[in-house]
Amino acid sequence: MGLTPEEHRETVHGCPCSAESTRGTAAWRIAQVRATRLARELPLTGDVEALLRSMAAGARVEDPDGLFPQLKVRGLGQLVHGMPAITPLGHTYLAGRDDVRSVTGVRVVDVDMQTRTARVEVPAWRPDETVTVLLDQVLSDTRFPPDLVAGRWFEAEANYEAPSAERLVLTYFRAAVPAEAAAADVETDDGGPGGSE
């Protein structure tokens, strides 16, 4: 709904094609980023995360301390036949906690203004394959105008050991520092050319 003009919001409200549970939709992509950032920035307390991990392992869990609502409100857990169960977003959260995430170079191959998406190359993951991200995520993180994004290199945090494009989650886009500028900064810090006397 956030990407829909005011006059059409009622039409898309509640539409299953724009739900977080529908892979490939904008809502799904936003949810993947949100769950990953939650895992990195505001992780669950130890006992709540332990409950989530038990659910992920397929254990029949009891919740005598009433912790499950904390998972449900975040979309990480749901009731299935009256029993607590993990959601796909819960698995994304755990991947955000467990996966190795590193800053890596990424290149925006092209953008689609109609779908508000961008195709991105992540050479550290698979140099011959692209992944789709929300254009507004890139623009919001970098403050670049949309007409200057295509073809440009950025840096982003990625779980580059992800087994598939659906599992690869890119966060924290920022302008890549050119190699020459980085070298100049090192020289300046060492008192070399450009350094203060």
Side-chain angles (χ1 to χ4, degrees):
M1 287 180 64
L3 299 174
T4 305
E6 184 70 38
E7 65 269 22
H8 299 303
R9 289 187 180 174
E10 191 58 36
T11 302
V12 302
H13 178 68
C15 175
C17 65
S18 62
E20 289 183 357
S21 57
T22 306
R23 293 180 182 274
T25 63
W28 178 81
R29 295 185 199 285
I30 291 169
Q32 300 306 297
V33 172
R34 179 174 51 82
T36 300
R37 292 190 63 166
L38 175 68
R40 308 298 286 188
E41 298 172 16
L42 294 168
L44 302 169
T45 59
D47 49 355
V48 178
E49 185 169 308
L51 177 64
L52 184 65
R53 289 186 184 279
S54 294
M55 289 159 38
R60 183 179 176 87
V61 299
E62 301 294 333
D63 185 26
D65 300 321
L67 303 175
F68 179 72
Q70 296 183 48
L71 298 174
K72 188 174 181 182
V73 74
R74 291 174 173 87
L76 308 179
Q78 62 187 341
L79 289 176
V80 176
H81 303 300
M83 294 299 298
I86 191 170
T87 64
L89 208 56
H91 287 290
T92 300
Y93 170 89
L94 291 178
R97 295 286 289 156
D98 299 337
D99 288 356
V100 174
R101 296 187 63 81
S102 300
V103 175
T104 186
V106 301
R107 186 177 76 90
V108 177
V109 176
D110 53 36
V111 301
D112 185 329
M113 294 302 296
Q114 184 172 357
T115 61
R116 303 292 293 182
T117 58
R119 287 192 311 134
V120 178
E121 290 178 341
V122 187
W125 175 63
R126 292 180 187 166
D128 57 345
E129 192 172 334
T130 61
V131 294
T132 301
V133 300
L134 292 175
L135 176 60
D136 290 297
Q137 178 191 359
V138 179
L139 302 182
S140 176
D141 284 356
T142 65
R143 304 296 182 198
F144 271 71
D147 56 333
L148 295 181
V149 170
R152 185 176 293 272
W153 281 92
F154 293 97
E155 291 179 341
E157 188 178 287
N159 54 330
Y160 57 82
E161 295 179 350
S164 67
E166 288 186 340
R167 286 281 310 277
L168 183 71
V169 181
L170 301 177
T171 55
Y172 312 113
F173 284 86
R174 55 187 173 269
V177 178
E180 315 83 64
D185 286 344
V186 170
E187 289 177 349
T188 300
D189 292 342
D190 291 342
S196 57
E197 295 185 5

